[in-house]
Amino acid sequence: MEAGRSPAMRVQILAEADIAEIPCQYIQPPENRPVIVGDSNENIPAIDLFGLDGEHRKSIRKAIGEACREWGAFHVINHGVPTQLLDQMRSLSLCFFSDYPFQDKLKYACDPSSAASEGYGSKMLVDKDSVLDWRDYFDHHTLPLSRRNPSRWPHYPPNYREIVGKYSDEMKVLAQKLLGLISESLGLPSCCIEDAIGDFYQNITISYYPPCPRPELTLGLQSHSDMGVITLLIQDNVEGLQVFKDSQWVTVHPLSDAIVVILSDQTEIITNGKYKSAQHRAITNASRARLSVATFHDPAKTVKISPISELISKSCPPRYHEVNYADYVSSWYRKGPQGKRNIDALLINH
Ligand SMILES: O=C(O)CCC(=O)C(=O)O
Ligand SMILES: [Fe+2]
């Protein structure tokens, strides 16, 4: 079946066709298939940001340092983003995927021949032979403002564009706040990581994972680490996100109104490997669609990233080669993620 290869094909259409067998392009090789296990209580750490600008700053900084060292991912609560805005963002995202007729969705189709183009898509990687993810998405270019063109975003519900704009602004503030804390947790001035990146390039990607008749053979999103600096993610109450820790996949149990923070590859380089980017993936399930909204914060393509000098010494030499962010992105899309192989390729062997 060639359906998976057609530029107009979307996973939601396949899922709604009620097929018993899924097209072979979606079947993962045995070593990548998820092992579906029962309930586990384990979860990524949850950090309460209440009292951040007062007496709790020191203990919050310490908790963030530990979470960054051990997990590269954590929940934040009392993060300052209005709960109502999180709900509005989830509900307009769901509206696009569940209420728009397919032909209307296709009016916003992204350019299938270019990586990370804005709009409605399904296949992320340029490589023709990669296994396909059981996922559709809508990507918005939101910052800097020169990239923000709301006329390319869905026109319905009427407040769609306004909400995405507000959400983008709130996510930027939270990302700055967190990078400040992450810098401080390494004994550095709060502005250190932000100064190394410059102005944020921000994309907001809504991912929609339709129910899959064969969840044991597929992945909603293959194992990867995010290529930028920091990702802030919200999800509905359906499990699916998993983080790789100590050679095991740990399911991130959704915590209502919390935001998932995911450290990305440039932060691993800037911190000279003191903090690791989180390897993560999304699994599917047979009965319920799942929705997530990921907000990526990246450097500009022209920025050169390297370990910051404050974290380098005779006893702690640089562990990563300097990289131009544009080169990092193009190599990521050319080779595909396969876990953390792109950042691992920059490791210096001492
Ligand atoms: O849907 C999710 O939970 C994960 C999304 C993600 O990792 C990504 O878009 O990079
Ligand atoms: Fe990701």
Side-chain angles (χ1 to χ4, degrees):
M1 177 164 171
E2 263 312 282
R5 293 287 177 218
S6 151
M9 184 37 90
R10 297 294 183 271
V11 175
Q12 193 176 3
I13 295 298
L14 272 178
E16 286 168 6
D18 220 10
I19 43 171
E21 282 311 318
I22 58 176
C24 60
Q25 298 99 320
Y26 294 90
I27 299 181
Q28 293 289 336
E31 65 277 15
N32 292 347
R33 292 180 195 162
V35 178
I36 316 282
V37 285
D39 286 351
S40 150
N41 288 332
E42 199 172 17
N43 206 355
I44 55 173
I47 298 176
D48 188 346
L49 299 187
F50 177 79
L52 179 64
D53 294 318
E55 50 172 339
H56 296 312
R57 191 169 188 92
K58 204 168 150 202
S59 58
I60 293 173
R61 199 191 283 149
K62 184 162 170 282
I64 287 195
E66 268 167 34
C68 289
R69 249 186 313 274
E70 285 171 27
W71 289 84
F74 52 95
H75 275 120
V76 282
I77 55 176
N78 288 315
H79 39 63
V81 184
T83 307
Q84 191 200 12
L85 185 60
L86 306 184
D87 289 339
Q88 284 173 315
M89 192 65 206
R90 277 186 279 255
S91 80
L92 66 81
S93 302
L94 189 60
C95 168
F96 178 77
F97 286 96
S98 33
D99 297 355
Y100 274 56
F102 184 55
Q103 287 310 320
D104 287 356
K105 285 197 192 82
L106 279 184
K107 291 181 190 151
Y108 303 94
C110 61
D111 171 2
S113 63
S114 95
S117 82
E118 192 167 30
Y120 173 50
S122 192
K123 185 174 188 291
M124 181 177 66
L125 294 167
V126 179
D127 175 11
K128 287 195 302 299
D129 301 321
S130 56
V131 180
L132 298 178
D133 295 321
W134 195 263
R135 173 185 84 139
D136 295 334
Y137 63 82
F138 198 110
D139 189 26
H140 310 74
H141 293 178
T142 43
L143 288 174
L145 285 176
S146 55
R147 290 170 76 233
R148 194 186 288 184
N149 183 355
S151 70
R152 292 198 285 251
W153 306 344
H155 63 284
Y156 181 84
N159 62 356
Y160 188 107
R161 296 164 180 183
E162 184 200 333
I163 298 294
V164 174
K166 268 193 196 159
Y167 188 79
S168 151
D169 298 342
E170 289 280 350
M171 288 298 116
K172 176 183 173 182
V173 171
L174 181 59
Q176 287 172 319
K177 212 189 264 188
L178 288 163
L179 289 182
L181 284 163
I182 292 170
S183 296
E184 288 175 30
S185 73
L186 288 163
L188 304 167
S190 351
C191 57
C192 229
I193 297 182
E194 232 192 300
D195 286 352
I197 301 157
D199 281 341
F200 282 147
Y201 272 58
Q202 186 199 57
N203 284 359
I204 299 181
T205 304
I206 302 166
S207 293
Y208 182 80
Y209 305 92
C212 176
R214 301 296 302 273
E216 73 287 7
L217 299 180
T218 51
L219 285 172
L221 192 54
Q222 66 170 292
S223 165
H224 67 286
S225 52
D226 294 343
M227 60 186 115
V229 177
I230 190 166
T231 304
L232 302 177
L233 179 137
I234 59 172
Q235 51 184 329
D236 60 14
N237 59 3
V238 180
E239 287 176 356
L241 175 61
Q242 294 188 320
V243 173
F244 196 63
K245 176 167 187 283
D246 301 334
S247 313
Q248 284 197 351
W249 286 104
V250 176
T251 298
V252 176
H253 303 292
L255 216 59
S256 70
D257 304 333
I259 296 175
V260 180
V261 181
I262 299 175
L263 294 197
S264 313
D265 291 344
Q266 306 316 303
T267 301
E268 179 169 328
I269 299 174
I270 290 168
T271 64
N272 201 24
K274 295 207 170 352
Y275 293 163
K276 301 276 190 234
S277 58
Q279 185 175 342
H280 56 286
R281 69 180 185 185
I283 60 171
T284 63
N285 76 79
S287 57
R288 293 181 68 190
R290 172 171 179 265
L291 184 98
S292 74
V293 183
T295 308
F296 302 98
H297 298 88
D298 298 354
K301 293 269 175 72
T302 49
V303 173
K304 285 189 169 61
I305 301 286
S306 55
I308 34 179
S309 54
E310 290 88 337
L311 297 176
I312 293 174
S313 64
K314 253 211 175 110
S315 61
C316 190
R319 298 185 57 204
Y320 302 84
H321 292 286
E322 180 180 89
V323 69
N324 185 315
Y325 190 59
D327 295 338
Y328 194 80
V329 173
S330 56
S331 144
W332 199 101
Y333 279 110
R334 203 174 49 248
K335 295 198 220 142
Q338 274 192 27
K340 292 186 62 169
R341 78 160 157 191
N342 289 296
I343 184 155
D344 288 349
L346 291 179
L347 276 169
I348 299 174
N349 295 316
H350 287 289

